[in-house]
């Protein structure tokens, strides 16, 4: 699924790295615990989260993820957006809540795990 | 690249916002040096977990990274409270992190086991009231 499709399905705003909307995401994960993302995520390239702090972006950097979706209307700070921009990570923001956002993407064919 | 490169960082203990900046920097350097992505991922996850630990458990410290053609060595040293029981601390799920750390997305007790999993060797030296030094190596 292209990042642009994620944007459309979730009715999300693009906060940075628009030029990468064509990138393919094969699988995603949803978590507010960065500890769990670091320990349990394998090759998922998109992260859905309701947590907003710079460690979300840095965790995605470490995990080689290139798309972060902030759910339930959470908005990252300008510093976070700059950090993501630097790393080439697309940031999306949606009003949709975590459970529904994950469900919508899953229903539309995005996997939870794929290797 | 014949010789060993050395990167040194001071990790600010009072600043959760800047935690992880050293790891971000090391990741960028290793990319520029052309290391394989899987190797870079292992180094950066292990270092990031250790860097976060120094900030949330030890009031900050220093990070030294030595990059040679054979390996990447990461030395994290702090003057924090030390670890009382290292084998207990290494257990998955063991954490003394307070609730406020959990609300920041950390404190699942997976950091030390994760550091061990992603590196080829890991050594912890710790003394109560003196500090902790963790040395990790990833072979290339
Ligand atoms: N640098 C450190 N200084 C003092 N204690 C530490 C340090 N690193 C880890 N610890 C101790 O080991 C425990 C387990 O660490 P870790 O596996 O990273 O889990 P977490 O950071 O989620 O608590 C911590 O809760 C803490 O008690
Ligand atoms: Mg930890």
């Amino acid at each position: 699924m292209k990042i642009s499709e994620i944007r459309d399905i979730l009715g999300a705003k693009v906060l940075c790295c628009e030029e990468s909307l064509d990138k393919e995401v094969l699988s995603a994960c949803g978590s507010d615990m960065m500890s769990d993302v670091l320990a349990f995520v394998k090759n998922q390239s998109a992260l859905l989260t309701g947590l907003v702090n710079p460690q979300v972006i840095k965790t995605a950097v470490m995990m080689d993820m290139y798309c972060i979706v902030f759910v339930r209307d959470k908005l990252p700070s300008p510093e976070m957006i700059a950090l993501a921009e630097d790393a080439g990570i697309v940031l999306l923001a949606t009003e949709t809540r975590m459970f529904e956002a994950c469900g919508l993407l899953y229903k539309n064919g995005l996997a939870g795990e794929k290797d | 690249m014949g010789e060993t490169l050395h990167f040194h960082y001071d990790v600010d203990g009072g600043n959760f916002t800047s935690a992880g900046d050293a790891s971000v920097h090391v990741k960028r350097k290793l990319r520029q040096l052309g290391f394989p992505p899987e190797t870079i991922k292992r180094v950066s996850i292990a270092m990031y977990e250790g860097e976060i630990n120094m900030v949330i458990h030890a009031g900050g410290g220093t990070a030294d990274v030595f990059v040679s053609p054979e390996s990447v060595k990461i030395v994290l040293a702090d003057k924090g409270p030390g670890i009382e029981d290292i084998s207990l601390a290494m257990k998955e799920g063991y954490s003394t992190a307070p609730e406020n750390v959990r609300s920041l997305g950390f404190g699942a007790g997976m950091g030390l086991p994760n550091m061990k999993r992603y590196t080829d060797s890991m050594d912890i030296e710790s003394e109560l009231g003196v500090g902790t030094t963790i040395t990790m190596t990833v072979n290339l």
Side-chain angles (χ1 to χ4, degrees):
Chain A
M1 179 181 289
K2 286 198 160 107
I3 297 177
S4 57
E5 293 174 75
I6 297 179
R7 174 199 60 191
D8 296 344
I9 290 166
L10 300 180
K13 283 191 290 278
V14 182
L15 304 177
C16 74
C17 296
E18 282 214 63
E19 67 281 3
S20 299
L21 284 174
D22 271 348
K23 272 198 186 168
E24 283 284 340
V25 169
L26 292 180
S27 58
C29 68
S31 182
D32 289 353
M33 271 303 265
M34 295 306 107
S35 277
D36 286 345
V37 173
L38 288 161
F40 300 114
V41 168
K42 293 188 191 117
N43 293 315
Q44 289 90 328
S45 39
L47 168 67
L48 286 80
T49 189
L51 183 73
V52 179
N53 68 49
Q55 302 313 329
V56 175
I57 314 288
K58 291 180 215 180
T59 297
V61 170
M62 298 311 145
M63 300 301 292
D64 295 330
M65 295 172 140
Y66 43 80
C67 175
I68 301 173
V69 182
F70 292 99
V71 297
R72 53 172 196 271
D73 254 343
K74 302 277 178 182
L75 281 184
S77 65
E79 292 76 27
M80 289 173 65
I81 295 175
L83 208 56
E85 196 131 44
D86 238 28
I89 298 172
V90 181
L91 296 187
L92 302 176
T94 177
E95 292 177 357
T96 315
R97 287 164 177 242
M98 179 71 109
F99 179 77
E100 202 187 328
C102 293
L104 283 170
L105 295 179
Y106 196 83
K107 195 172 80 179
N108 281 276
L110 189 59
E113 220 171 273
K114 198 164 234 169
D115 36 24
Chain B
M1 188 183 68
E3 84 272 40
T4 299
L5 297 173
H6 175 204
F7 304 101
H8 173 83
Y9 307 91
D10 291 311
V11 177
D12 183 354
N15 192 342
F16 183 74
T17 298
S18 65
D21 283 354
S23 303
V24 170
H25 189 259
V26 166
K27 180 149 197 163
R28 183 172 308 146
K29 284 287 164 203
L30 294 179
R31 280 220 179 111
Q32 285 166 3
L33 290 165
F35 287 103
E38 268 316 303
T39 307
I40 298 176
K41 190 170 169 181
R42 289 170 59 205
V43 169
S44 47
I45 292 174
M47 178 171 171
Y48 181 60
E49 291 273 19
E51 193 183 346
I52 293 282
N53 275 355
M54 287 202 296
V55 175
I56 65 182
H57 302 298
T62 56
D64 287 277
V65 180
F66 303 89
V67 182
S68 78
E70 294 84 38
S71 67
V72 178
K73 184 164 100 175
I74 305 155
V75 182
L76 304 169
D78 66 63
K79 294 187 166 62
I83 302 174
E84 185 161 11
D85 183 339
I86 292 177
S87 62
L88 182 61
M90 285 298 301
K91 285 217 167 79
E92 294 193 357
Y94 176 83
S95 175
T96 60
E99 187 49 41
N100 71 312
V101 165
R102 245 174 279 266
S103 68
L104 293 167
F106 291 87
M110 294 302 296
L112 291 174
N114 218 14
M115 288 154 71
K116 180 153 184 75
R117 180 157 69 102
Y118 280 113
T119 55
D120 291 301
S121 75
M122 171 166 148
D123 172 67
I124 304 178
E125 270 177 60
S126 192
E127 200 179 323
L128 284 184
V130 178
T132 301
T133 299
I134 300 185
T135 305
M136 297 179 283
T137 310
V138 171
N139 297 326
L140 299 171

